Amino acid sequence: MYKKLPYVFSIALFLGLGIIIVAFLSIINFYLSSQGFRDFLSQKIQNIIQVKGQFSPIYIQGNSLSAQKYQGYGEPSSPIKEIEASSIDCQLLLRKLFSRLLYIQELKVENLQVQFKEQDLTPQPSSPSLVSPSTLKEKEEKTAPFYKNFVPRKVEWGRIIIQNSLIRWPKSIAGGGRLENAALELDKSEGTDIWIGRGTGGNLYISSYPPFKVKELFFKLFSDHCYIQRLVLLNEQKGEVELSGRWNWKNKEKNIEIHLKALPLPLFLPPSWKGKIDGNLYGKTFLCESRSMETSLEGEIHLENGLIGELPLLASMALFGTKNTVPLDLAKADLFVSKSKTEFNHITLEARGKMKLEGQIEIEGDQIRGQLLAGLNPKQLELLPGAKQKVFVQEKEGYQWATVNISGSVEDPKEDLTPRLTAAAEAALKESASQILKSTLDFLKKIQPPNSSP
């Protein structure tokens, strides 16, 4: 009988361990499907992105958890106004549960919608806590049910996959816009608060511009800022935009470098300007913002394969001797865009041997104003009487120069060159007519026979 005791003891030990494991898993299953676990998970998300939200009931099947919906609203310190996720599934690493760690290997979200807040540069006051964290922890430990000693206390993430996203931002951020139908993947960097992300597909809408397709996106997401390593956007016709830089929502700072490559210029022009100037737009610009400075875009732009045409008739004749468009050998400017105005400084447009324009233009609201120096080939001025003598009076770099003032609305800009050319031509014609009449009278006097005395 005594010889069988070790076997009986082994069986009892095995059954005891089995009962303990089953009891432990039952406690875990009970907890994972409870409101307490949903609150715990929501709190962890709140700590990461400052969004206070709640999950719908969670269902368990093996090492998988699923929920139909998560919805939350951003706290004052968060840039997010509202977030909603649907059809949520995640895979757990069960062996981590024994160390009271909930390790989510992979979280899949079928649809994600995020709405960002209007920007507010005023600092948000922090509301003081009336109870210290240590007191709250002691109170929680005293009132917590017994199974709390067995359930996870920490959450770690592996990968997040978002199959379809809709991200919207207000007009105070880059004129407003949205990113829709983009797929995103984020991998957690172990031991840090860094998420390494990538995205593909989808359409990006910014302000009133035509949509861009997302070719590729690589970024790093921190608790208080996002670093865009590379974002490439494709235009439907041709050309692309490449972005990189940092957006810190905690300090209200943006520093983003934007490269424009072969974009059709008419995309950025009002309807009344199309046909007047054309070409492929290139540039290197910087989007900046800080607490002491509003959002601005600044940099250099230039055109390749530029064309200029459809100018007022007299100006067109003076510039080119024709009404057809003329290729530009050089077209560049410094760009500055703020919330209140757009400036084009150090403008240079040149069709070598025919014309050159230099100066600056400013657009504020729907009004445009500016001043240009127009340089013309002296031979072209021969088409208009009086132009060289009364309008284009300065000579340098092989051109005759005159000042041109721009004013009016963006849709219907006015220039004062044509009226001045008209006035100069009329005056020259009058002078010519007077000179012709005087010459005729002098000639008639000369050919008249002298009066003979009687």
Side-chain angles (χ1 to χ4, degrees):
M1 178 179 178
Y2 293 103
K3 293 180 179 180
K4 295 182 178 180
L5 282 177
Y7 299 103
V8 174
F9 179 76
S10 299
I11 293 172
L13 181 61
F14 179 77
L15 290 174
L17 288 174
I19 292 171
I20 291 172
I21 293 173
V22 171
F24 175 78
L25 293 177
S26 298
I27 291 172
I28 294 298
N29 284 343
F30 171 76
Y31 175 67
L32 293 180
S33 59
S34 69
Q35 180 64 45
F37 175 69
R38 297 203 298 273
D39 293 340
F40 166 76
L41 206 55
S42 298
Q43 183 62 50
K44 294 300 180 182
I45 294 175
Q46 183 176 348
N47 294 340
I48 296 173
I49 60 175
Q50 292 85 50
V51 170
K52 189 174 183 179
Q54 189 62 56
F55 284 89
S56 63
I58 294 176
Y59 301 96
I60 307 168
Q61 186 174 4
N63 68 331
S64 300
L65 300 180
S66 63
Q68 186 60 36
K69 185 178 180 182
Y70 169 83
Q71 187 169 15
Y73 299 89
E75 295 183 326
S77 59
S78 174
I80 296 174
K81 178 182 179 181
E82 183 179 357
I83 184 170
E84 181 178 317
S86 61
S87 300
I88 307 164
D89 293 287
C90 63
Q91 302 293 320
L92 304 180
L93 192 60
L94 293 179
R95 59 184 174 83
K96 295 283 188 178
L97 293 174
F98 292 97
S99 56
R100 302 186 67 183
L101 171 65
L102 183 69
Y103 187 83
I104 300 175
Q105 285 182 297
E106 186 175 274
L107 172 66
K108 286 186 178 181
V109 178
E110 186 173 322
N111 294 290
L112 176 69
Q113 295 187 34
V114 180
Q115 172 72 52
F116 284 94
K117 295 177 181 175
E118 289 282 351
Q119 286 189 315
D120 183 7
L121 298 181
T122 58
Q124 296 290 339
S126 57
S127 54
S129 175
L130 300 178
V131 185
S132 67
S134 59
T135 304
L136 290 172
K137 186 176 179 180
E138 291 174 3
K139 182 178 179 181
E140 182 182 353
E141 289 178 351
K142 289 178 181 180
T143 57
F146 78 94
Y147 63 81
K148 286 282 187 177
N149 296 319
F150 302 97
V151 298
R153 299 185 62 179
K154 291 175 61 180
V155 176
E156 288 187 6
W157 308 79
R159 170 177 291 184
I160 297 177
I161 299 175
I162 301 167
Q163 297 175 341
N164 186 56
S165 62
L166 173 59
I167 302 172
R168 295 172 291 179
W169 54 93
K171 287 186 177 180
S172 59
I173 303 176
R178 68 187 187 275
L179 172 64
E180 60 181 32
N181 301 323
L184 303 172
E185 288 188 14
L186 298 97
D187 291 298
K188 184 71 162 56
S189 179
E190 189 173 353
T192 70
D193 66 344
I194 304 173
W195 288 88
I196 300 173
R198 55 193 174 275
T200 56
N203 296 317
L204 178 66
Y205 298 81
I206 301 177
S207 188
S208 58
Y209 298 119
F212 290 87
K213 292 187 178 297
V214 179
K215 179 182 178 182
E216 58 184 19
L217 168 62
F218 298 96
F219 62 96
K220 290 184 178 180
L221 188 62
F222 299 78
S223 60
D224 59 353
H225 70 278
C226 176
Y227 175 64
I228 302 172
Q229 296 169 288
R230 178 178 166 88
L231 169 59
V232 179
L233 306 172
L234 301 179
N235 177 254
E236 290 181 336
Q237 300 178 22
K238 63 177 180 178
E240 66 180 43
V241 180
E242 183 176 334
L243 299 90
S244 62
R246 188 182 305 272
W247 174 28
N248 190 313
W249 47 81
K250 182 178 181 180
N251 296 330
K252 311 291 185 183
E253 293 180 353
K254 294 189 190 78
N255 289 285
I256 299 174
E257 186 174 326
I258 304 173
H259 290 262
L260 310 176
K261 300 179 182 179
L263 292 171
L265 181 62
L267 293 176
F268 307 96
L269 297 177
S272 61
W273 285 56
K274 293 178 180 179
K276 290 182 171 62
I277 186 168
D278 202 350
N280 299 324
L281 181 64
Y282 291 77
K284 181 179 180 180
T285 61
F286 297 88
L287 181 68
C288 301
E289 181 195 20
S290 66
R291 288 186 181 274
S292 59
M293 181 183 72
E294 67 176 2
T295 304
S296 64
L297 180 69
E298 188 172 3
E300 300 178 350
I301 57 175
H302 70 273
L303 287 180
E304 293 189 7
N305 302 317
L307 296 172
I308 188 168
E310 286 194 14
L311 295 171
L313 177 59
L314 291 178
S316 178
M317 291 175 63
L319 294 179
F320 315 124
T322 175
K323 291 188 290 183
N324 296 328
T325 57
V326 169
L328 291 172
D329 300 295
L330 179 64
K332 64 178 184 177
D334 293 338
L335 173 68
F336 177 81
V337 182
S338 66
K339 185 178 179 180
S340 58
K341 63 183 178 180
T342 299
E343 297 178 9
F344 296 92
N345 298 308
H346 304 108
I347 297 171
T348 302
L349 303 176
E350 183 175 16
R352 290 191 181 95
K354 293 185 177 181
M355 59 80 68
K356 188 174 183 179
L357 294 176
E358 298 177 343
Q360 57 278 329
I361 292 175
E362 180 179 298
I363 299 173
E364 189 168 357
D366 63 347
Q367 296 298 303
I368 184 172
R369 57 180 175 270
Q371 190 175 81
L372 299 174
L373 286 175
L376 308 178
N377 187 318
K379 291 183 179 180
Q380 304 297 108
L381 295 176
E382 296 175 1
L383 297 170
L384 288 176
K388 183 175 181 180
Q389 295 78 15
K390 297 183 180 297
V391 181
F392 293 87
V393 295
Q394 185 181 358
E395 183 179 358
K396 67 173 183 176
E397 300 177 5
Y399 295 109
Q400 294 290 134
W401 295 83
T403 300
V404 183
N405 295 299
I406 308 295
S407 62
S409 67
V410 175
E411 290 294 335
D412 187 23
K414 306 295 183 183
E415 46 84 19
D416 66 350
L417 176 60
T418 301
R420 287 155 56 202
L421 288 173
T422 303
E426 291 176 350
L429 290 174
K430 288 180 181 179
E431 291 176 4
S432 298
S434 299
Q435 184 63 39
I436 292 172
L437 179 59
K438 183 176 180 300
S439 299
T440 301
L441 293 174
D442 291 342
F443 175 74
L444 291 174
K445 288 179 181 179
K446 288 179 181 180
I447 64 173
Q448 283 181 355
N451 291 330
S452 57
S453 49

